[in-house]
Amino acid sequence: MSRFFSKKYQNLKAYTPGEQPRDMQYIKLNTNESPYPPSPSVLDAVAEEAGKLALYSDPECTELVREASKLFGVKPTEILMTNGSDEILNFAFMAFCDKEHPIVFPDITYGFYPVFAELNGIPYEKIPLKEDFSIDANDYIGIGKNIVIANPNAPTGLTLTLEEIEKIVASNPENIVIIDEAYVDFGAQSAVCLTKKYENLLVTQTFSKSRSMAGARLGFGIGTASLIADMQTIKYSTNPYNVNRMTMAAGAAALRENAYYMDNCKKIVKTREYTKRALEKMGFSVTDSKANFLFAKSEAVNGETLYTELKKRGVLVRHFSAERICEYNRITVGTQEQMEVFLAKTEEILSEMQ
């Protein structure tokens, strides 16, 4: 830290992204990327736009927004495209939260929420998950504060029902409720339909997981036109050209081929359930994840040791050091072949622990 670093950020604890080691070839099951490639039309769209990089991208993301509005059944004025869903989340924190409007979220959830709060000087509160790591909707009903909930939650993969989400939104009419649906396509119910009914609901999604575009950085938010207009103000005050030409074209092409991606989601769900059953046969406790990852622990080996031993064997998973979850690892669901390798290496480690 230099002597010039602003004091307002000196205590900021930055988000820690999943590791991206280069020392060997790994089976990467640590950052929840899709194991399947983008559709051919996405690659063609990127190649076509690459020759136009001398020109700024469309700040309105017109074609991309039009395709999204058709797929999600909302008006173009009710969608905002951003540089990954992290940006739409940050825009929402900036637009709707301040010292008079604090925000709450679960104590175990996406690690960027407290970072955004601290970065923007927003008071926040962490509400503990239940013992089984599920979110108790009653903890958020009528709380009178802004709320952000990942559904499915990360890193647990557990979900709230649409009815529970609606109760939370309806009971906090003077506050913004953000439902972060980064993993919704793998088994949860989307709350997009509720944005037509509630003016205080913002739903965010990403192209990183189900649409095989983690490296492209594309996300979006859906809400009433007035909410979107508020965040447009933030966007045009920070980075008007926030989505580049190639990403914009890739996103529009991906939405036009939605069936391809939803078929891939079905493959991932099938592999997820297969892997869960296999881990349970080895004695693991595994949450009922509805995301593209599993959250598991074993009584035979502690979480950090399993992570370390798998890494030695060329398999990366994500380990967290927080006290409540330090015995668990989050395991991205890859292809069937990748998960067979993961399971074989895990069984090998367990045998050595005996």
Side-chain angles (χ1 to χ4, degrees):
M1 183 183 299
S2 79
R3 61 189 178 91
F4 305 103
F5 194 52
S6 174
K7 290 183 179 179
K8 65 182 178 180
Y9 295 132
Q10 285 181 354
N11 296 319
L12 182 66
K13 294 181 180 178
Y15 175 74
T16 303
E19 60 184 320
Q20 305 281 354
R22 300 286 189 270
D23 58 321
M24 62 181 285
Q25 185 68 41
Y26 289 93
I27 293 177
K28 283 188 81 274
L29 307 178
N30 67 322
T31 47
N32 299 341
E33 298 143 317
S34 173
Y36 299 107
S39 59
S41 67
V42 166
L43 303 181
D44 292 341
V46 170
E48 183 177 343
E49 288 299 310
K52 305 174 185 176
L53 291 182
L55 304 175
Y56 281 111
S57 58
D58 172 14
E60 296 296 324
C61 302
T62 306
E63 181 185 1
L64 176 55
V65 167
R66 182 170 57 244
E67 293 296 335
S69 69
K70 288 191 291 187
L71 181 62
F72 293 101
V74 298
K75 298 175 182 177
T77 54
E78 297 169 342
I79 302 175
L80 177 60
M81 293 290 170
T82 55
N83 192 307
S85 61
D86 291 334
E87 188 174 55
I88 191 70
L89 289 166
N90 193 32
F91 284 174
F93 274 60
M94 294 172 70
F96 307 121
C97 305
D98 51 38
K99 291 181 179 179
E100 287 73 42
H101 302 90
I103 193 163
V104 300
F105 42 82
D107 65 333
I108 298 172
T109 191
Y110 185 34
F112 240 133
Y113 301 156
V115 175
F116 287 145
E118 292 177 10
L119 183 67
N120 293 299
I122 300 163
Y124 64 93
E125 177 187 347
K126 296 181 180 180
I127 297 180
L129 297 179
K130 295 196 292 186
E131 285 300 311
D132 64 357
F133 295 136
S134 64
I135 293 172
D136 188 342
N138 291 319
D139 289 337
Y140 298 86
I141 291 175
I143 200 168
K145 299 176 182 177
N146 291 336
I147 297 165
V148 59
I149 293 174
N151 194 54
N153 195 19
T156 65
L158 300 179
T159 63
L160 289 172
T161 66
L162 193 59
E163 291 74 22
E164 289 173 317
I165 291 171
E166 182 165 13
K167 288 179 182 178
I168 292 170
V169 176
S171 68
N172 293 283
E174 303 305 314
N175 301 96
I176 294 295
V177 178
I178 306 165
I179 302 298
D180 179 357
E181 295 187 344
Y183 303 99
V184 72
D185 291 322
F186 301 100
Q189 294 176 286
S190 176
V192 167
C193 61
L194 296 179
T195 62
K196 299 177 183 298
K197 188 176 179 180
Y198 297 98
E199 64 177 356
N200 62 324
L201 173 62
L202 175 69
V203 175
T204 66
Q205 290 193 21
T206 179
F207 282 67
S208 296
K209 318 302 180 185
S210 60
R211 291 186 171 85
S212 303
M213 285 175 52
R217 312 308 305 131
L218 182 60
F220 60 96
I222 294 178
T224 61
S226 58
L227 286 187
I228 296 302
D230 292 339
M231 290 182 292
Q232 289 274 21
T233 298
I234 301 297
K235 169 189 165 176
Y236 281 98
S237 301
T238 53
N239 184 10
Y241 305 103
N242 61 331
V243 180
N244 70 67
R245 299 186 69 93
M246 293 185 292
T247 292
M248 201 179 301
L255 292 174
R256 285 192 288 267
E257 291 202 69
N258 191 57
Y260 166 81
Y261 295 98
M262 295 305 101
D263 284 344
N264 285 343
C265 289
K266 291 175 184 176
K267 294 178 188 175
I268 290 169
V269 168
K270 183 177 179 181
T271 305
R272 180 188 73 203
E273 296 309 304
Y274 169 86
T275 306
K276 179 183 178 184
R277 291 192 298 270
L279 286 172
E280 289 173 338
K281 286 181 181 178
M282 293 184 207
F284 278 80
S285 298
V286 189
T287 61
D288 186 24
S289 173
K290 300 301 180 185
N292 68 335
F293 56 80
L294 292 166
F295 197 55
K297 75 169 184 176
S298 169
E299 298 297 331
V301 57
N302 70 56
E304 186 175 8
T305 298
L306 179 59
Y307 153 77
T308 302
E309 292 299 319
L310 282 169
K311 185 176 181 179
K312 289 178 183 177
R313 292 162 170 81
V315 179
L316 283 178
V317 298
R318 186 77 186 264
H319 181 257
F320 299 91
S321 59
E323 184 177 353
R324 284 189 69 186
I325 57 175
C326 63
E327 294 303 326
Y328 284 79
N329 283 293
R330 192 194 67 192
I331 305 139
T332 302
V333 179
T335 63
Q336 183 69 25
E337 293 74 22
Q338 288 175 325
M339 302 317 289
E340 294 288 5
V341 174
F342 158 73
L343 291 168
K345 298 297 184 184
T346 299
E347 197 160 26
E348 179 182 297
I349 293 165
L350 292 179
S351 296
E352 293 178 1
M353 293 292 148
Q354 293 179 353

